[in-house]
Amino acid sequence: MDSINIKKLAEALNLSTSTISRAFRDNSDINGATKARILAKAKELNYQPNHYASNLREQKSKTIAVIVPELANNYFSQAIHGIERVARENGYHILIYVTDDDYKKEVTFIRHLHNGRADGIVMSVSGEANDHNYLNKFGSKRLPLVFFDRIYEDIDTPRVITNDYNSSFLATEHLIEQGCSRIAYLVVNKSLSIGKTRMQGYLDALAKHQIPFEENLIVDCSNSYEENSIIIKQALTQLKPDGVFTSVERLAFATYYACYDLNINIPKDLKVISFSSLEIAPLLNPSLTTITQPATEIGEEAAKLLFTILDDHADKNLPNEVVLESKIIKRNSTING
Amino acid sequence: MDSINIKKLAEALNLSTSTISRAFRDNSDINGATKARILAKAKELNYQPNHYASNLREQKSKTIAVIVPELANNYFSQAIHGIERVARENGYHILIYVTDDDYKKEVTFIRHLHNGRADGIVMSVSGEANDHNYLNKFGSKRLPLVFFDRIYEDIDTPRVITNDYNSSFLATEHLIEQGCSRIAYLVVNKSLSIGKTRMQGYLDALAKHQIPFEENLIVDCSNSYEENSIIIKQALTQLKPDGVFTSVERLAFATYYACYDLNINIPKDLKVISFSSLEIAPLLNPSLTTITQPATEIGEEAAKLLFTILDDHADKNLPNEVVLESKIIKRNSTING
DNA sequence: TTGTAAGCGTTATCAA
DNA sequence: TTGATAACGCTTACAA
């Protein structure tokens, strides 16, 4: 009999449970003095309203789920940090799920979340191309969902993205201006919308500068470190590009490692630019030219968007799409020293 | 009337709610055929047992809380990844809380978690030196708690740590062997146990090699990027160390930036070694010699330890302390090229 | 301003 | 093997 609950607290104070309950919520009328007395006693006895009972009653969990493809990635850890901050300010807690780019896990997570555990979901989708129509199957009962960064274009739900097309265009153009004419584009999943958008910018920049597009300069990489190492080395030796544009930061790292091994000098022999939120890009050898996304801000915006949806009182004229700006930061990996 | 629950499912099948319930848990006796029938219908109607109702009933949440000082840090994101993996395998979900090294937040998080929201806590403590006896105040009602990496020594709870003393000793000795005699030790919080243990290894290595200890070579840094930049530059110019040993990776990065600015050559003028789980340490300029902690494994072990405590059937002869080995990986920042 | 009592959706106990 | 029923701890009409 050591656990405290509302009944015992009520007995201890010679009050009813409803009065206790009122002391813990703001709206109801309650005498200031009794409220103070209740809160004091509650503190003394270490009482807190049981979260599960409250939420069963109120039918909401004050919890949102965050689903990301990976965690050991500067972009996602910064984004989660942003989400966590906004969630906390709104009195929400966050559950984290990592898909490891595995579509099946994504489906399982989402399905299980529909048991009341979370009130809404913020997600960056897995890298696999599949039928994600499962998201529509929930019908009107689907949990509020906000995509950030990696999205499924055929799912109609609010999203926070960056100006990927534009950044890719400018990134490619930057390589061209630095004298590159054989520019490889390294991507993890061509069919994922983010891969496609970023690739389109690349293609259009080539076209604008009348550089013929060469199919095999699009290098489709995998999620395995070892496989990528092989793929990239092969691409570098066989295709002999003079520029590389990578769609995710870990492909840039893999390219660096490959160049070290193959004795290819960056930037003299090969220029490298990448999407990356790495804070120490200036410390790399050579310092890495990046398209830097406002990761924390993206997370914050995504969370805010979700909370607007969850807030019953809010004006429901929400934007379906928030676009934030990435910045190209030129460093030594694309500039001949 | 669009939300499904156990009652409606029971009606739809002409069964009682208890039978439905039994179909979803493994132990109770139930006819195989009815079970199949129930599960099929459940799938059709998209029914899942409500998490809050179940947990109110069962008095457990199948959720653990993870509290970390920061998220944008390779060590912690890897550790969380490990925790998440183990948690998922055990059917648990994880809640994430970031203290930003703020002690007050840590206290608030822990206190609020005692409302049933989580069954246990895995925590790496905030960097502030304070009275953390609050953890003992909960008495026998305190949630099961496992520390990892950054711990409070005066709190008696299981912990997963690395052989910090030894690593620090060897790291310092490595610098000495490379010819350093004025070795600065950069720390964020001297009084935090992790700072102390690591410092002791440093001190003892100096002593072993008869290098006199100089108080002001212990440089106490802060959590602010800007402040650290100033502190470190001042230390480098005034103290003129020939070696730097940093207790956390971001101080190593700050040292790199300072050296770039001050035109100090690493490793010729200054050798640098740091605790760091950065996967791209080899790509830095120069590549960084690190004491690499098995971050993912630490997270996994911490989670496993917690689950053993939570498992009623488990043998309760648990170790109070699990020590994992870090590795020193020598790279160019400490080796004259 | 406070108390009474019903019910949120489950699961466990007991009876059939 | 299945069903009826009483909890789990809380919130909220409604009554006092």
Side-chain angles (χ1 to χ4, degrees):
Chain A
M1 261 323 121
D2 60 341
S3 81
I4 181 80
N5 60 25
I6 197 169
K7 233 178 185 160
K8 287 185 201 146
L9 184 58
E11 278 169 24
L13 287 162
N14 251 312
L15 287 169
S16 75
T17 59
S18 32
T19 310
I20 308 291
S21 178
R22 276 188 271 262
F24 280 90
R25 75 224 31 272
D26 297 327
N27 49 342
S28 306
D29 313 277
I30 187 175
N31 182 300
T34 32
K35 177 166 177 177
R37 204 157 62 90
I38 292 171
L39 293 181
K41 193 75 176 176
K43 193 156 196 181
E44 181 195 328
L45 299 181
N46 242 312
Y47 169 78
Q48 287 185 77
N50 180 285
H51 178 246
Y52 287 96
S54 308
N55 291 146
L56 173 57
R57 184 59 228 238
E58 295 181 2
Q59 301 289 32
K60 60 175 132 120
S61 65
K62 282 279 187 179
T63 303
I64 62 171
V66 179
I67 305 180
V68 292
E70 43 179 337
L71 213 46
N73 168 306
N74 300 283
Y75 176 73
F76 288 115
S77 44
Q78 286 174 49
I80 291 174
H81 194 30
I83 295 170
E84 200 262 354
R85 217 180 51 69
V86 173
R88 181 148 31 82
E89 287 170 5
N90 284 270
Y92 275 73
H93 297 229
I94 66 171
L95 287 161
I96 299 282
Y97 301 88
V98 181
T99 64
D100 292 315
D101 272 315
D102 180 348
Y103 174 75
K104 289 194 296 297
K105 283 189 200 158
E106 178 178 304
V107 177
T108 310
F109 290 152
I110 298 246
R111 204 185 300 288
H112 277 88
L113 283 169
H114 284 255
N115 67 353
R117 197 185 261 269
D119 295 339
I121 303 174
V122 177
M123 165 159 97
S124 207
V125 309
S126 77
E128 286 189 43
N130 266 294
D131 171 32
H132 27 254
N133 218 306
Y134 76 95
L135 281 168
N136 286 327
K137 297 272 166 60
F138 294 99
S140 61
K141 288 184 304 185
R142 197 189 71 200
L143 283 179
L145 171 66
V146 172
F147 283 146
F148 72 100
D149 203 49
R150 305 199 191 169
I151 67 172
Y152 292 138
E153 277 174 339
D154 51 347
I155 303 296
D156 178 34
T157 204
R159 54 198 57 177
V160 178
I161 53 178
T162 46
N163 54 343
D164 277 338
Y165 171 81
N166 224 350
S167 306
S168 300
F169 185 92
L170 293 174
T172 310
E173 202 162 43
H174 170 60
L175 287 177
I176 296 169
E177 283 161 1
Q178 295 303 311
C180 299
S181 58
R182 287 185 60 74
I183 301 172
Y185 173 64
L186 272 53
V187 65
V188 171
N189 196 316
K190 257 201 286 196
S191 59
L192 197 65
S193 70
I194 206 160
K196 279 193 284 191
T197 315
R198 291 177 177 181
M199 185 161 78
Q200 197 56 50
Y202 159 83
L203 294 175
D204 291 358
L206 292 185
K208 176 182 167 192
H209 292 268
Q210 280 124 28
I211 295 176
F213 163 60
E214 211 174 295
E215 178 79 45
N216 53 13
L217 281 172
I218 307 279
V219 182
D220 216 338
C221 301
S222 84
N223 283 317
S224 140
Y225 176 81
E226 288 74 19
E227 279 174 37
N228 283 341
S229 173
I230 297 168
I231 293 170
I232 291 174
K233 281 186 186 169
Q234 216 162 48
L236 292 181
T237 38
Q238 294 176 1
L239 306 171
K240 299 207 182 308
D242 52 12
V244 164
F245 170 31
T246 71
S247 58
V248 292
E249 72 183 16
R250 86 187 120 86
L251 294 181
F253 303 154
T255 304
Y256 267 52
Y257 281 116
C259 287
Y260 285 10
D261 281 359
L262 298 171
N263 248 312
I264 294 173
N265 180 285
I266 306 174
K268 204 165 68 62
D269 308 328
L270 183 76
K271 298 188 172 47
V272 179
I273 186 169
S274 177
F275 273 92
S276 172
S277 296
L278 184 68
E279 279 156 332
I280 54 166
L283 298 186
L284 295 195
N285 183 19
S287 62
L288 176 65
T289 296
T290 57
I291 302 166
T292 300
Q293 302 180 86
T296 312
E297 200 186 335
I298 292 172
E300 290 171 352
E301 286 302 318
K304 281 183 197 161
L305 205 48
L306 182 60
F307 289 127
T308 320
I309 300 171
L310 291 176
D311 180 1
D312 300 326
H313 308 296
D315 177 15
K316 281 301 184 260
N317 272 330
L318 336 126
N320 199 53
E321 187 168 287
V322 174
V323 181
L324 300 176
E325 298 283 318
S326 299
K327 273 201 302 279
I328 295 188
I329 304 176
K330 295 168 186 165
R331 300 201 184 85
N332 294 335
S333 68
T334 55
I335 296 175
N336 279 323
Chain B
M1 263 317 118
D2 61 343
S3 81
I4 181 82
N5 60 25
I6 199 170
K7 235 175 185 163
K8 286 184 202 148
L9 183 59
E11 278 169 25
L13 287 162
N14 250 313
L15 287 169
S16 75
T17 58
S18 15
T19 310
I20 307 292
S21 179
R22 277 189 270 262
F24 280 90
R25 62 223 56 264
D26 298 325
N27 48 344
S28 306
D29 313 277
I30 187 174
N31 182 300
T34 30
K35 177 167 178 176
R37 205 157 61 90
I38 291 171
L39 293 182
K41 193 74 175 179
K43 192 157 197 179
E44 182 194 327
L45 299 182
N46 243 311
Y47 169 78
Q48 288 185 78
N50 180 286
H51 178 246
Y52 287 97
S54 306
N55 290 147
L56 172 58
R57 191 51 234 236
E58 295 180 3
Q59 303 290 32
K60 61 174 133 122
S61 64
K62 283 277 185 178
T63 303
I64 62 172
V66 179
I67 305 181
V68 291
E70 44 177 338
L71 212 47
N73 168 306
N74 298 283
Y75 176 74
F76 288 115
S77 45
Q78 284 173 49
I80 292 175
H81 195 30
I83 296 169
E84 200 263 352
R85 218 180 50 70
V86 173
R88 181 147 32 78
E89 286 169 6
N90 283 272
Y92 275 72
H93 298 228
I94 66 171
L95 287 161
I96 299 282
Y97 301 87
V98 181
T99 64
D100 292 315
D101 272 314
D102 180 348
Y103 175 75
K104 289 193 298 297
K105 283 190 198 156
E106 178 177 304
V107 178
T108 310
F109 289 153
I110 298 247
R111 206 185 298 289
H112 277 89
L113 284 169
H114 283 256
N115 68 352
R117 198 185 261 268
D119 296 339
I121 303 175
V122 177
M123 164 159 98
S124 207
V125 310
S126 76
E128 286 188 43
N130 265 295
D131 171 31
H132 27 255
N133 219 307
Y134 75 95
L135 282 168
N136 286 326
K137 298 272 166 60
F138 294 100
S140 61
K141 289 186 303 185
R142 197 190 69 199
L143 283 179
L145 170 66
V146 173
F147 283 145
F148 72 100
D149 203 48
R150 306 197 192 170
I151 68 172
Y152 292 139
E153 277 173 339
D154 51 346
I155 302 296
D156 178 34
T157 204
R159 53 198 58 177
V160 178
I161 53 177
T162 47
N163 54 342
D164 277 337
Y165 171 80
N166 223 351
S167 306
S168 300
F169 185 92
L170 293 174
T172 310
E173 201 162 44
H174 170 60
L175 288 177
I176 295 169
E177 282 161 2
Q178 294 304 310
C180 298
S181 58
R182 287 185 61 74
I183 302 173
Y185 174 64
L186 272 54
V187 65
V188 171
N189 196 316
K190 258 202 283 194
S191 59
L192 197 65
S193 71
I194 205 160
K196 279 193 283 192
T197 316
R198 291 178 178 181
M199 187 161 78
Q200 196 56 50
Y202 159 83
L203 294 175
D204 290 357
L206 291 186
K208 176 182 168 191
H209 292 267
Q210 280 124 25
I211 296 178
F213 163 59
E214 212 174 295
E215 178 78 45
N216 54 11
L217 280 172
I218 307 278
V219 182
D220 216 339
C221 300
S222 83
N223 283 317
S224 141
Y225 176 80
E226 289 74 19
E227 279 173 37
N228 283 340
S229 174
I230 296 169
I231 294 170
I232 292 174
K233 281 187 189 170
Q234 217 162 48
L236 292 180
T237 38
Q238 294 178 0
L239 307 171
K240 300 207 182 307
D242 53 12
V244 164
F245 170 30
T246 71
S247 58
V248 292
E249 73 183 16
R250 86 187 120 85
L251 294 181
F253 303 152
T255 303
Y256 268 52
Y257 280 116
C259 288
Y260 285 10
D261 281 0
L262 298 171
N263 248 313
I264 294 173
N265 181 286
I266 307 173
K268 203 165 67 63
D269 308 327
L270 182 76
K271 300 191 171 46
V272 180
I273 187 168
S274 177
F275 274 92
S276 172
S277 295
L278 185 68
E279 279 157 332
I280 55 166
L283 298 186
L284 295 195
N285 184 19
S287 62
L288 176 66
T289 295
T290 56
I291 302 167
T292 300
Q293 302 179 89
T296 311
E297 202 186 335
I298 291 172
E300 290 172 352
E301 287 302 319
K304 281 183 197 160
L305 205 48
L306 182 61
F307 289 128
T308 321
I309 300 171
L310 292 177
D311 181 1
D312 301 324
H313 308 296
D315 177 15
K316 283 299 183 264
N317 273 328
L318 334 129
N320 198 54
E321 185 167 288
V322 174
V323 180
L324 300 176
E325 298 283 317
S326 300
K327 273 201 302 278
I328 294 188
I329 305 175
K330 295 169 186 164
R331 300 201 183 87
N332 293 334
S333 66
T334 53
I335 298 176
N336 279 324

